Amino acid sequence: MNASPEFRSEIAPQPEPSPAVAKFLARKPRLLIGGEWVESSSKTRIPVFDPATGKQIAEVPDANAEDVNRAVAAARKAFESGPWPDMLPAQREALLWRLADLIDRHAEELAELESLDNGKTKLMASMVDIPAASAQFRYMAGWATKIEGSTFQTSLPGPPGAKYHTYTVREPVGVVGQIVPWNFPLIMAATKLAPALAAGCTCVLKPAEQTPLSALRLGELIIEAGFPPGVVNILTGYGETTGAAIVAHPDVDKIAFTGSTEVGKIINKSASDTVKRVSLELGGKSPVIVLPDADLETVVGGAAQAIFFNSGQVCVAGSRLFAHRKVFDKVLEGVAGVAKSMKLGPGLHPETQMGPLVSREQQERVLGYIKSGREEGAAVVVGGDAPQHPGYFVRPTVLADVRRDMRVFREEIFGPVLVAQRFDDLDEVAAAANDTPYGLAASIWSNDLRAVHRLVPKIKAGTVWVNCHHMIDANMPFGGYKQSGFGRENGRTAIEMYTELKSVCIAI
Ligand code: ADP
């Protein structure tokens, strides 16, 4: 596709939103509590900005502790009484499936909304975010009818002839608080809600304050699908207030959180006061390891995509490149070439390949990291700055000559910034890859089976990809080692996180 002259000279203007999105934005967003859209008792609102222009596009309620009380009470009521606990698993399955169909029917609108709110391209949202969200609901729909316990024998002493019938049953954990970040707002909401609903829980969901819009639109679709009132409640608000109140609430049974390691630690501490079940999906600093035999064309495209996808705002972003000394220069040159060629622009513009970052704060944070890298002696191979524009753009950046003690090597940047290092042997690269408090994911690029199988067990990460990166499936457990969190979303393990295991022992 040829870039338009206007585009080549600077960032293109953001096209006008479609009538469907304009209509949604014109509805004054409210809180979803007990099946109704209600005002917050706080009366204050949170502005929502288009990251491509820096202009305000909406405002949402700033839920306070009283709103949290109301939402938790609605979720409790829906969990204990009314149609939800009496529903057959097949009925829950049908509801989840219907919601997936509604998401697909409104895919165009949701992709646009996600793009406007988060900054990502509408094309990417249409290809990744929206289908992954509906797939999550469809996949978990199937689990609703497949939750099972087991029967087993015991060796219990008793009077002669005593017999026991013993078995386990999985029951929904109860009211769950779900707190999600801004990088994949709809996917994150779906990944939290779908297994909880399949298991029979009720939910209080809090989207990130930066990106609340798609969750609110999802709330409308949840009502349209026919979920009983109170089964899903959605509160918009800030983390330190609304989020913290959900975590501390004594009537919430479980917290599922995705976000920064820093906030994960705060949440884990607070939740321990009431011994809540907690699952945490936190930060990462994922290595991309290129062995000397790898197919370099595949590696260059793959490594670039590993870091620049979603403007690098991905917990599994391949943010540390380790290439074998023999191929390092070629890989670095290739990835830098991709970075240089990427067209920055607003998400709704069809030629945009990389959108802005989510917020001014995030832009400043990422630019601050690049500055610290320079100051500590890293070489900027490409990028390293932001275009003159009111949107929150940062050019795709590659840093070389990095050392393991530099902040850019150690800390999660959450932006389009790659640090690159060379290595000589497998033990050395495994040690370097693991030299981080994180352990979320890693990718290895090689066709040497023996080397791959020797390296995979050495990598301390919840997911290891080989000759690919960013592959996340509803049926593949996902979560972290070390300070990347605990618990595994997706697959059977997600259902286990939303259920309690009850042992039953009957003397017969
Ligand atoms: P990021 O650094 O990616 O913005 P955060 O971890 O700050 O991620 O935020 C992820 C989610 O956690 C957001 O919904 C945010 O509002 C929420 N959050 C932030 N601080 C807290 C807190 N102290 N308690 C509960 N939720 C929080």
Side-chain angles (χ1 to χ4, degrees):
M1 204 187 289
N2 288 327
S4 63
E6 145 212 88
F7 198 84
R8 222 178 292 131
S9 61
E10 218 1 327
I11 305 292
Q14 175 78 293
E16 286 298 313
S18 66
V21 165
K23 227 165 106 188
F24 172 78
L25 294 177
R27 296 200 278 282
K28 206 175 153 198
R30 285 181 283 177
L31 306 173
L32 179 59
I33 299 179
E36 306 281 339
W37 292 102
V38 299
E39 292 296 342
S40 162
S41 35
S42 80
K43 303 283 181 284
T44 54
R45 297 179 78 79
I46 301 172
V48 180
F49 300 97
D50 173 358
T53 62
K55 287 190 189 136
Q56 187 176 329
I57 49 169
E59 49 176 30
V60 297
D62 176 12
N64 62 14
E66 199 185 314
D67 300 321
V68 172
N69 285 339
R70 282 196 291 159
V72 173
R76 174 58 59 193
K77 189 168 165 224
F79 183 74
E80 304 291 352
S81 58
W84 186 245
D86 284 342
M87 243 179 219
L88 300 174
Q91 292 173 309
R92 292 204 305 275
E93 175 185 30
L95 279 175
L96 286 162
W97 195 268
R98 203 175 304 152
L99 179 57
D101 286 347
L102 282 170
I103 292 170
D104 285 348
R105 202 173 310 149
H106 295 279
E108 181 79 13
E109 179 194 344
L110 286 165
E112 196 179 319
L113 202 55
E114 204 73 320
S115 169
L116 265 182
D117 202 3
N118 164 280
K120 66 180 69 201
T121 67
K122 182 184 167 195
L123 181 70
M124 201 48 81
S126 313
M127 283 166 54
V128 178
D129 297 62
I130 315 306
S134 59
Q136 179 73 225
F137 282 108
R138 237 173 240 126
Y139 170 84
M140 289 297 170
W143 270 112
T145 55
K146 290 160 198 74
I147 297 169
E148 56 188 23
S150 58
T151 58
F152 46 90
Q153 291 186 316
T154 55
S155 304
L156 296 164
K163 284 201 164 129
Y164 298 92
H165 176 46
T166 43
Y167 61 96
T168 56
V169 58
R170 281 201 176 270
E171 298 181 341
V173 77
V175 173
V176 298
Q178 305 182 310
I179 298 173
V180 296
W182 44 257
N183 57 345
F184 292 92
L186 191 68
I187 294 183
M188 291 293 152
T191 304
K192 295 283 178 281
L193 293 174
L197 297 172
C201 297
T202 59
C203 305
V204 177
L205 173 77
K206 192 196 87 63
E209 53 270 35
Q210 298 87 345
T211 57
L213 301 179
S214 58
L216 293 170
R217 186 70 185 100
L218 181 68
E220 295 180 344
L221 300 179
I222 285 169
I223 294 177
E224 193 178 333
F227 283 87
V231 170
V232 176
N233 305 275
I234 301 175
L235 301 179
T236 52
Y238 292 106
E240 309 78 56
T241 49
T242 321
I246 296 172
V247 175
H249 202 292
D251 209 23
V252 170
D253 299 294
K254 171 186 163 64
I255 292 293
F257 171 76
T258 297
S260 59
T261 294
E262 186 192 348
V263 172
K265 290 178 186 176
I266 297 172
I267 287 181
N268 201 29
K269 279 195 192 123
S270 165
S272 74
D273 284 343
T274 42
V275 198
K276 288 184 176 65
R277 283 79 190 107
V278 176
S279 49
L280 301 174
E281 198 266 276
L282 309 176
K285 189 80 180 171
S286 300
V288 170
I289 303 170
V290 183
L291 302 191
D293 72 288
D295 171 49
L296 291 190
E297 210 176 303
T298 313
V299 165
V300 165
Q305 195 253 5
I307 180 62
F308 299 133
F309 171 57
N310 213 42
S311 304
Q313 302 167 119
V314 190
C315 52
V316 293
S319 50
R320 291 181 300 152
L321 173 69
F322 298 97
H324 190 274
R325 187 172 298 280
K326 276 194 196 149
V327 293
F328 179 83
D329 289 344
K330 281 197 178 132
V331 174
L332 190 70
E333 190 189 327
V335 175
V338 175
K340 209 168 191 158
S341 74
M342 288 184 93
K343 293 184 182 71
L344 289 189
L348 299 187
H349 196 290
E351 288 174 12
T352 296
Q353 290 173 324
M354 195 168 104
L357 302 191
V358 72
S359 63
R360 173 75 64 213
E361 186 192 0
Q362 190 61 15
Q363 183 196 34
E364 284 169 1
R365 204 175 107 93
V366 172
L367 290 172
Y369 270 112
I370 296 172
K371 184 164 171 271
S372 99
R374 278 184 213 271
E375 285 167 1
E376 289 185 292
V380 179
V381 182
V382 66
D385 62 352
Q388 288 294 321
H389 192 272
Y392 316 137
F393 295 92
V394 172
R395 287 189 220 281
T397 298
V398 178
L399 303 177
D401 300 338
V402 291
R403 295 183 316 271
R404 270 152 71 174
D405 61 340
M406 288 180 179
R407 282 184 62 213
V408 286
F409 184 91
R410 308 206 67 77
E411 297 176 21
E412 183 177 43
I413 299 177
F414 227 65
V417 182
L418 179 68
V419 298
Q421 266 200 337
R422 33 175 86 69
F423 70 90
D424 289 297
D425 67 64
L426 289 188
D427 284 333
E428 178 199 350
V429 75
N434 291 332
D435 184 17
T436 163
Y438 297 113
L440 196 54
S443 63
I444 300 169
W445 300 76
S446 170
N447 293 310
D448 178 347
L449 256 177
R450 291 176 63 222
V452 167
H453 279 293
R454 280 173 54 213
L455 196 48
V456 169
K458 293 181 201 281
I459 300 295
K460 295 189 183 352
T463 299
V464 179
W465 293 292
V466 178
N467 294 323
C468 59
H469 200 104
H470 285 315
M471 296 296 135
I472 293 176
D473 185 81
N475 195 29
M476 191 164 104
F478 179 78
Y481 279 32
K482 302 196 278 183
Q483 293 191 30
S484 289
F486 47 77
R488 293 290 181 270
E489 297 191 303
N490 297 336
R492 176 196 294 270
T493 46
I495 296 293
E496 288 170 359
M497 293 203 304
Y498 286 101
T499 49
E500 290 279 12
L501 194 62
K502 179 182 278 177
S503 291
V504 184
C505 173
I506 305 175
I508 50 176

